[in-house]
Every structure is written in C-alpha cells, then in structure tokens.
Amino acid sequence: MKTVLVTGANGLLGQKLIRLLAADPALRTVATARQPLYQADTGATFYPLDITNANEIHQVFSETQPDVVINTAAATQVDWCEQHPDACYEINTNAVALLLQACRQTGTAFVQLSTDFIFNGNHGPLDETAQPDPVNIYGQSKLQAEQAVMKSGLNWCIIRTVLVYGVARPLGRSNIVLWVKQSLEQKKPIQVVTDQKRTPTLAEDLARGCYLAIKHQATGIYHISGEELMSPYDIALQTARFFSLDETLISPADSTTFRQPARRPLITGFIINKAKTNLGYTPHTFTQGLALIKQQLNL
Ligand SMILES: NC(=O)c1ccc[n+]([C@@H]2O[C@H](COP(=O)([O-])OP(=O)(O)OC[C@H]3O[C@@H](n4cnc5c(N)ncnc54)[C@H](OP(=O)(O)O)[C@@H]3O)[C@@H](O)[C@H]2O)c1
C-alpha cells in the first residue's frame, strides 16, 4: 500500500484532499498540520508538522516512511507576504528545501502546489510552457520553490492553480465566493475588480486534480483550475444572482482603485488541456461549483 503524506491538511485544499485520499483503500493517508485536524473523521492518520521545522520533518518521515509527499502548506495571504517577506520565504521557499532534502534521503516522490501568481499578468490564459515573471513577494517565493523542486533530482510534479473557492472548516474562513455572499447577506456594499481575469477553481476540483496526479504518478508541471476566464466582478455578479442576493450592492472598480501592499497580476487564468488529456481531469463549471457550495451550506 502506498503512503501519501499531505502537508497543510487544515487548509482549504488540504481538507478536501485528505478526505479524497483517505477514501481510497489502496492508499494510506498521513495528514500533517501545525494544529490538530479540523476534520477528525476522514480516516487519515494525523501527525503534527510545521514544515519550517527540520527536526519535525525528520521525525514524521522516519515514523511514516511516505512514498509520496504533497506539499499544500503555504503562506497564502499575498499582502501578508509582501509585508513579512522573511517569514513568507521561510514557509514558501526554505521549508520546501527542507522537505526536498528529506525526500532525497528516503527516495520519496514530491508534489508541490504552486500558483498563477508566478506570472506577470500581461496575458492569459496560460499553459505550462508560459514564462514565469512574478510581480510580488508571494509569487517570487513560490517560483523559487518551483525551481528548487525542478532541480531536486526526485520524481517531482508541480501543480499550479488559480483563485480557489469552496467551503472549509472553520466556516468563517473566507474566499471570494463566501466573501461576496456574506457581504451581500449583511447588506454591505462591495467594490470588485473588473480588470483582473482568473479561471476560478473549486477546491474539490483542485483536490481531485492532485489525487489524479498522485494516482497517475504524474511528473512535470500541470495547470489545474476551472475553465471559465472571469473577472472577480463577474464572479461576484454570478454569485449574487445564484444566491438571489442584491447585486446592486456590487460596484465595479479597476485595479487602480485599491491600495494594497502587494501588486496583483492582471490577467492570468489557465489552459488546462494537459491535465484533461493526461490525467482525465474534468472541472465543474462555475455555476456547478456554486451549487455544490449551496448544498454544503445546507441552503
Ligand atoms: N487559495 C488560492 O486561491 C490559491 C491560488 C493559487 C495557488 N494556491 C496554492 O495552493 C496551495 C493550497 O492553498 P490553500 O488554498 O489550501 O491555502 P490555505 O487555505 O491558506 O491553506 C494553507 C495551509 O498551510 C498551512 N501552513 C502555513 N504555514 C505552515 C507551516 N509552517 N507548517 C505547516 N503548515 C503550514 C496553514 O496552516 P494553518 O491552518 O495552521 O494556518 C494552512 O492550513 C498553496 O500552496 C497555495 O500557494 C492557492
């Protein structure tokens, strides 16, 4: 039986992924996180692991002997990364080097989660051959991690994704769809960007893409996201309409309206043909994703 070790198991992706992996009787799933698991009922075995701690990595590796490590853990708040570059690099880059070192000692395959924010946003959607050129610290930290993975000498796979949305525990944790829904429910007016473009990704689809990559022992780079190129403003309008909320509370704004510490790439979004062809990856439409969220929130 193959042992798969997941880092960041309490994250939006991590929560979905451990449930999917643990349901596969051919796999033994080791779920690791800094804090006890929010979901104790998946069947995964839990080990505490802060990926910046080399001793903890060594201990968990020797106790669990993973065949594959999938690193979903990351500092994902883009503005926080811009304001705390050292801490961001510690988690997003240096910790990846520690995990790679441990994998080299045990011959473990390595799957790294990465991001559309490694690109400069000048054009999109992008396939796996597009040239990275990050415009903020978060993107730089994730690109440097990718470069270390590619040079690792291991069996490696890099899965890049885009603007992930979904429902995870605790329910207060937010993403674009839940933020729009909650703001409009509270009758709060919101300004949403019209001139950025993304292919928003349902967390369940991303988890499925990761699962398929592991099952196919995929190597190289894969773009895994939704298929519809939309602005955050489009996303907000569709969310409002789907949940029958007041869309007049949503005002369009261009990127220059917002004063944020980190620059955002304007146009990204992914072409996902490689994942569809090689892995059989088939994402939900955005409307289907909203329907799943509605069902998960028991609405
Ligand atoms: N979310 C997006 O829109 C998006 C877009 C593109 C790419 N990605 C990439 O996709 C991956 C998964 O993202 P996500 O959406 O699941 O993010 P998330 O919900 O923010 O989860 C990240 C997880 O990483 C954990 N973590 C942070 N530092 C850690 C450390 N030192 N040791 C162990 N765990 C640590 C966090 O732990 P705590 O729960 O303890 O804070 C959190 O549970 C990331 O690699 C991210 O860069 C995400």
Side-chain angles (χ1 to χ4, degrees):
M1 191 184 288
K2 192 181 249 188
T3 298
V4 181
L5 186 151
V6 181
T7 68
N10 277 329
L12 177 54
L13 168 60
Q15 291 188 29
K16 310 290 179 189
L17 183 59
I18 58 170
R19 194 166 283 287
L20 205 53
L21 291 167
D24 184 336
L27 301 175
R28 170 176 167 245
T29 303
V30 175
T32 72
R34 294 192 284 201
Q35 308 291 332
L37 294 182
Y38 293 128
Q39 312 175 103
D41 58 342
T42 59
T45 313
F46 172 67
Y47 283 82
L49 176 61
D50 179 330
I51 61 166
T52 62
N53 186 321
N55 291 333
E56 283 185 21
I57 293 175
H58 179 73
Q59 190 164 346
V60 174
F61 268 62
S62 46
E63 285 180 33
T64 62
Q65 301 283 320
D67 298 290
V68 184
V69 166
I70 178 160
N71 181 35
T72 79
T76 56
Q77 299 300 315
V78 177
D79 290 326
W80 183 87
C81 286
E82 205 70 14
Q83 292 169 317
H84 305 87
D86 291 346
C88 169
Y89 279 109
E90 191 65 19
I91 297 167
N92 288 353
T93 315
N94 302 349
V96 175
L98 295 177
L99 290 168
L100 291 171
Q101 200 177 4
C103 286
R104 269 192 296 270
Q105 282 163 6
T106 46
T108 301
F110 191 76
V111 183
Q112 167 70 3
L113 265 292
S114 193
T115 169
D116 59 328
F117 275 38
I118 64 162
F119 298 110
N120 61 21
N122 291 347
H123 61 92
L126 303 137
D127 71 11
E128 290 82 356
T129 63
Q131 278 306 308
D133 177 25
V135 297
N136 58 38
I137 299 279
Y138 169 73
Q140 283 164 17
S141 71
K142 296 290 285 185
L143 178 60
Q144 286 185 21
E146 282 197 11
Q147 289 162 342
V149 171
M150 290 180 207
K151 283 191 296 197
S152 66
L154 299 167
N155 278 335
W156 61 264
C157 182
I158 291 170
I159 295 177
R160 298 181 183 141
T161 193
V162 183
L163 195 59
V164 186
Y165 67 95
V167 177
R169 295 181 205 176
L171 281 180
R173 109 190 264 138
S174 202
N175 51 67
I176 182 159
V177 168
L178 298 184
W179 169 71
V180 170
K181 181 174 168 295
Q182 280 154 12
S183 302
L184 302 187
E185 281 168 351
Q186 292 163 8
K187 315 276 180 236
K188 276 193 207 153
I190 51 173
Q191 284 192 306
V192 190
V193 180
T194 50
D195 58 350
Q196 293 174 5
K197 293 274 191 280
R198 306 284 185 257
T199 44
T201 309
L202 180 67
E204 277 77 4
D205 285 341
L206 176 58
R208 179 98 195 140
C210 293
Y211 171 79
L212 290 168
I214 290 168
K215 290 296 274 188
H216 283 80
Q217 301 181 21
T219 56
I221 302 172
Y222 279 88
H223 283 186
I224 301 255
S225 71
E227 233 175 344
E228 290 149 278
L229 193 67
M230 305 166 76
S231 70
Y233 181 70
D234 300 329
I235 294 172
L237 279 186
Q238 286 205 28
T239 302
R241 287 172 194 158
F242 185 87
F243 290 103
S244 306
L245 294 164
D246 181 2
E247 67 185 73
T248 64
L249 291 166
I250 305 170
S251 311
D254 73 16
S255 298
T256 56
T257 316
F258 298 95
R259 298 239 173 282
Q260 291 169 305
R263 218 178 117 196
R264 267 66 172 172
L266 274 185
I267 316 293
T268 67
F270 283 164
I271 294 163
I272 56 170
N273 292 341
K274 184 177 171 185
K276 286 168 86 174
T277 307
N278 292 6
L279 306 179
Y281 170 70
T282 49
H284 291 78
T285 63
F286 186 64
T287 308
Q288 288 170 336
L290 293 176
L292 185 66
I293 287 178
K294 186 173 178 188
Q295 187 191 324
Q296 289 171 345
L297 295 174
N298 294 318
L299 296 172

